[in-house]
Amino acid sequence: MLKFILRRIGAALVILFGASVLLYILVINSGDPLQDLRESNAENRDYLMEQRIANMNLDLPWYQRYLTWLMGVGKCFALQCDLGTNRSGVSVNSLLELAASSTLRLVLLATLLALVFGIAIGILTAVRQYSGLDYGVTFLTFLFFSLPVFWAAVLLKEYLAIGYNNWLSEPDFSVMQIALTALIAGFLMQVFLAGSIRRRIITFAVTAVFFAVALPALTALDFFRNPQLGYVGVALLTFAVALSTTAMATGLKNRKVLYPALITAALVSVLQIALFNVFYYYMNWWFIVAGLALAVLIPWFIGRKMGGRYSATAAGVSVATGVIGAGLTVIDHVFRAWPGFLGMKPRPIATIGSQTPNFGGDFWQTMLDQGTQLLLPTILLTIISLASYSRYTRSSMLEVAGQDYIRTARSKGLPERTVIFRHAFRNALIPIATIAAFDFAALIGGAVITESVFGWKGMGELFITGLREVDPNPVMAFFLVTGTAAILFNLLADIFYAVIDPRIRV
């Protein structure tokens, strides 16, 4: 494996070098970087032209300019990258840092959500092939996949930003809205849960009644302007997560898995109270990262020690409980900060930009500000990527489901959940890993249209600006990041194959 990785890295460096030379030549020959100044009537035009020539080294031959850039890239191996300046004399390093951080915030969350929901939907539709759910999801995924990005972005701005902000000033539901929501929710729930006609009717009725009661109750409690989960709410939801993940993994009768999950849920319920002041007064991103690490390590240790021969499953269920419980604790504190945030920003869902300029809130209010700015572009990228992940997962699961070892597993009497998640899903992950690697690497390059519509100063904007201004250094910085990411994630996908399927190691 080490020799394989070294060969791939060597080949990648050669590919990057050849592609960088080609791209540099194409960019510098795509136009005249001094055209706007040649047409200018400014009195200091000659001085401005001399300054731009000096900033872009236009007095040097192209290969010398390229070698200067390449030497600056070589300094990255000593962690001292020098990517030059743009045509205005601004360091490309600083421009790249701002663009990459902005794009990564958007891409990481969108990719993660698309992966989780896309894989879950793909598994569900594969298990219930040719059902009404399968046909409905297939229609929606093709619809999302074919949506024009700019048009979908305008719709999101109109209904999830402008419309929601108007509604939030005086949140209320009409009788017609409550009735339609209850009926639609009941219909969707019975489609997802399926079963006999009797079970479908009961599911529809219970869901419809729940929404018909819950929406007026939430409005009466002013939940939409003053939401809270509270200690009890976080504890109840965390225990519900422990029970549901155990039921899906092995069933509630398996005490070796159930007890570690319940202990993890109890630990989360206690710590959310014990650490309340830390969350309220001293919270920062380092605490978030440390809390996430502990939410993984402690439940993993509990599951491994108490799980016995089910230690791997117990550890996975406990970690899921811990991470989701920690997330619910964070959500509770975000809810607590929401009323103060509305006081500072009465129209919370923004339609442009990555954050509000000169926003002066505390940690939680700043998180809300950045989160609401992130909401619309994340939803847009997620629903577009969701289609690919769900379709690939479905087709891969259906292909694996016809294999001999799946029939053997069923004939041995293994529970269906074990057959699906332990035997079928793991072998179906290989094509999904390929798609995820390339998709993430592509998105790092910036969702150009999405960033343009929502006013994000990300990688896509850096690339387009460099091309428009015939400025090679920003374009080459974009290429350096995206090209390296594409090769790196392709390599990681190959390594992941060996983790999923031990036969590939041979």
Side-chain angles (χ1 to χ4, degrees):
M1 181 60 74
L2 179 60
K3 291 181 180 180
F4 168 76
I5 293 173
L6 291 176
R7 285 200 305 268
R8 289 293 299 272
I9 292 175
L13 291 176
V14 174
I15 293 171
L16 283 174
F17 173 74
S20 66
V21 174
L22 178 61
L23 181 62
Y24 198 90
I25 294 173
L26 290 173
V27 172
I28 63 176
N29 287 283
S30 63
D32 181 6
L34 300 175
Q35 182 176 356
D36 60 318
L37 293 179
R38 297 186 198 280
E39 299 172 352
S40 173
N41 295 321
E43 295 181 357
N44 61 341
R45 186 186 69 170
D46 294 337
Y47 169 75
L48 294 175
M49 292 181 68
E50 291 176 1
Q51 191 176 39
R52 184 173 296 178
I53 290 172
N55 289 335
M56 300 180 67
N57 294 322
L58 295 178
D59 53 339
L60 300 176
W62 73 266
Y63 55 85
Q64 192 169 346
R65 293 162 58 194
Y66 172 78
L67 288 176
T68 301
W69 174 83
L70 190 62
M71 291 174 61
V73 173
K75 295 179 181 178
C76 293
F77 293 102
L79 302 180
Q80 295 179 342
C81 289
D82 181 12
L83 303 179
T85 61
N86 68 357
R87 71 176 191 173
S88 301
V90 180
S91 170
V92 174
N93 284 17
S94 60
L95 294 175
L96 180 62
E97 182 180 353
L98 293 173
S101 63
S102 180
T103 294
L104 280 175
R105 271 199 298 147
L106 177 61
V107 167
L108 281 173
L109 183 58
T111 304
L112 180 62
L113 291 174
L115 267 172
V116 172
F117 288 106
I119 289 175
I121 292 171
I123 293 173
L124 185 60
T125 52
V127 171
R128 295 170 57 185
Q129 186 183 16
Y130 302 135
S131 65
L133 174 65
D134 186 22
Y135 287 123
V137 170
T138 299
F139 170 76
L140 290 176
T141 52
F142 279 113
L143 175 65
F144 292 154
F145 188 77
S146 60
L147 279 178
V149 175
F150 59 90
W151 180 73
V154 171
L155 291 182
L156 289 176
K157 282 186 175 186
E158 177 65 27
Y159 294 105
L160 287 186
I162 298 172
Y164 176 78
N165 289 334
N166 292 337
W167 177 82
L168 192 60
S169 60
E170 293 183 7
D172 193 15
F173 295 100
S174 67
V175 175
M176 182 62 70
Q177 289 172 332
I178 294 172
L180 286 176
T181 303
L183 292 174
I184 293 172
F187 174 78
L188 293 177
M189 186 61 70
Q190 64 87 21
V191 169
F192 274 101
L193 296 183
S196 63
I197 297 296
R198 181 173 179 272
R199 179 178 174 180
R200 286 175 179 268
I201 293 174
I202 293 174
T203 301
F204 173 83
V206 170
T207 305
V209 169
F210 172 80
F211 275 87
V213 173
L215 291 180
L218 292 175
T219 304
L221 294 172
D222 197 25
F223 179 83
F224 300 100
R225 293 188 62 87
N226 188 22
Q228 282 192 23
L229 290 177
Y231 299 132
V232 176
V234 172
L236 289 176
L237 289 175
T238 305
F239 276 100
V241 169
L243 294 172
S244 59
T245 51
T246 303
M248 287 188 293
T250 60
L252 295 177
K253 294 181 180 180
N254 191 326
R255 301 294 188 262
K256 293 289 186 180
V257 177
L258 178 62
Y259 289 159
L262 293 177
I263 290 174
T264 301
L267 190 60
V268 170
S269 302
V270 172
L271 287 178
Q272 63 149 336
I273 300 174
L275 298 177
F276 179 83
N277 287 335
V278 174
F279 273 90
Y280 195 80
Y281 295 106
Y282 307 108
M283 183 54 59
N284 57 48
W285 284 109
W286 289 112
F287 277 114
I288 294 286
V289 173
L292 178 61
L294 291 175
V296 172
L297 293 176
I298 294 176
W300 179 85
F301 180 79
I302 294 172
R304 297 294 294 187
K305 287 297 181 182
M306 298 183 61
R309 67 190 184 95
Y310 296 98
S311 58
T313 304
V317 171
S318 297
V319 167
T321 303
V323 170
I324 296 175
L328 289 170
T329 304
V330 170
I331 291 173
D332 179 49
H333 284 272
V334 170
F335 279 0
R336 294 174 188 270
W338 181 253
F341 175 68
L342 288 181
M344 302 176 68
K345 192 177 176 182
R347 300 183 66 81
I349 309 300
T351 58
I352 195 167
S354 57
Q355 63 184 44
T356 303
N358 303 317
F359 187 81
D362 60 19
F363 172 81
W364 296 108
Q365 291 166 344
T366 302
M367 178 190 283
L368 275 168
D369 176 58
Q370 295 178 353
T372 51
Q373 300 276 155
L374 194 65
L375 182 64
L376 297 185
T378 298
I379 291 175
L380 181 60
L381 291 179
T382 299
I383 62 175
I384 293 173
S385 299
L386 188 71
S388 298
Y389 291 128
S390 62
R391 298 310 296 171
Y392 276 107
T393 302
R394 178 183 181 276
S395 61
S396 185
M397 286 287 292
L398 289 176
E399 181 180 355
V400 169
Q403 300 295 321
D404 291 340
Y405 63 87
I406 298 296
R407 287 194 290 269
T408 303
R410 287 196 172 103
S411 66
K412 288 165 61 178
L414 291 177
E416 187 65 16
R417 69 172 68 87
T418 303
V419 174
I420 292 172
F421 291 105
R422 184 174 299 177
H423 296 277
F425 177 57
R426 181 170 181 173
N427 288 279
L429 273 177
I430 291 180
I432 300 169
T434 306
I435 299 302
F438 280 107
D439 192 38
F440 185 76
L443 284 175
I444 286 179
V448 177
I449 298 176
T450 304
E451 290 180 7
S452 299
V453 173
F454 290 105
W456 278 64
K457 302 297 182 181
M459 294 293 291
E461 195 270 344
L462 180 71
F463 177 71
I464 291 297
T465 301
L467 284 181
R468 185 173 59 248
E469 297 178 349
V470 198
D471 191 354
N473 284 347
V475 177
M476 297 306 292
F478 169 88
F479 164 79
L480 182 65
V481 172
T482 55
T484 303
I487 291 173
L488 175 62
F489 280 97
N490 190 23
L491 176 62
L492 291 176
D494 289 342
I495 297 173
F496 188 57
Y497 298 159
V499 175
I500 298 172
D501 189 349
R503 293 173 297 178
I504 294 177
R505 300 173 198 168
V506 181

